[in-house]
Amino acid sequence: MLEEILAFVGTTTGLSSKIADSGQVTIQQAIDGKLFRFKSEQLTEVLQRVDADGKQFIQVNFQTGTKVLFTDTLVGFKPRETLGLDMAKIPRVVTTPDLISVFEAIEESLSSDSTPDTEIEILKRVFVAILHGGEAAGFDLAFERRWLARLVPSKMRASA
């Protein structure tokens, strides 16, 4: 299974792989430099897939029940269920660049006087769902985790 993953990653334009002596596999996304990590013994299944545009990708299943998708440029994962968020309204598969998009939408909403607070709260929940899903899948998102904490105090200082 690991050989299948490494062979696929080797054919992509935006992913690269590294294997540590400990057996930990690291897949890096060129688009944002984010690292997806897993241990090869956690693998249960690798499935070859084709998307609606005819592009190949693989689905990688782990013993924990986690499933990720490796595309030509990104590792996709399921957002984590979040209290107060209608999961049917967000994509079933998200990526780390989605965090930036949602964060920018939160910033824009905060700077607008016409955006209802409920919309900002929904955006925050979407951000958290993606963040927790990414961390559960195997991404280190400690840097992104601090974004929301910094955003709210800076808005408060600006209006004070």
Side-chain angles (χ1 to χ4, degrees):
M1 287 183 279
L2 180 58
E3 292 78 21
E4 196 174 349
I5 293 169
L6 297 176
F8 178 82
V9 169
T11 67
T12 66
T13 60
L15 300 177
S16 59
S17 62
K18 215 182 325 183
I19 304 175
D21 292 337
S22 65
Q24 179 156 307
V25 180
T26 302
I27 307 295
Q28 184 169 20
Q29 299 176 149
I31 198 164
D32 62 3
K34 288 292 163 200
L35 304 174
F36 173 74
R37 293 187 172 99
F38 64 93
K39 293 224 180 244
S40 54
E41 62 265 15
Q42 296 171 325
L43 297 169
T44 57
E45 194 172 24
V46 177
L47 303 167
Q48 298 290 329
R49 302 276 196 218
V50 178
D51 69 13
D53 297 326
K55 293 185 177 159
Q56 270 201 305
F57 68 96
I58 57 173
Q59 177 180 318
V60 180
N61 298 344
F62 296 92
Q63 291 172 351
T64 59
T66 302
K67 298 176 182 183
V68 295
L69 306 178
F70 287 22
T71 68
D72 187 52
T73 55
L74 293 165
V75 177
F77 52 89
K78 185 178 178 178
R80 172 80 45 92
E81 291 271 336
T82 302
L83 190 65
L85 180 63
D86 182 356
M87 297 305 287
K89 293 189 177 186
I90 64 173
R92 288 185 3 215
V93 177
V94 292
T95 62
T96 54
D98 290 329
L99 284 169
I100 296 168
S101 301
V102 174
F103 184 75
E104 288 172 347
I106 293 169
E107 280 185 319
E108 194 174 300
S109 296
L110 284 171
S111 64
S112 168
D113 292 335
S114 62
T115 305
D117 287 347
T118 53
E119 185 178 318
I120 294 169
E121 283 306 310
I122 290 169
L123 287 169
K124 286 180 183 177
R125 287 185 179 123
V126 170
F127 184 89
V128 168
I130 296 170
L131 181 81
H132 289 170
E135 288 176 334
F139 280 99
D140 176 3
L141 300 173
F143 182 75
E144 289 78 1
R145 182 176 276 282
R146 293 189 293 267
W147 288 356
L148 277 183
R150 283 193 206 122
L151 185 65
V152 177
S154 67
K155 172 68 174 170
M156 300 297 243
R157 282 195 303 272
S159 62

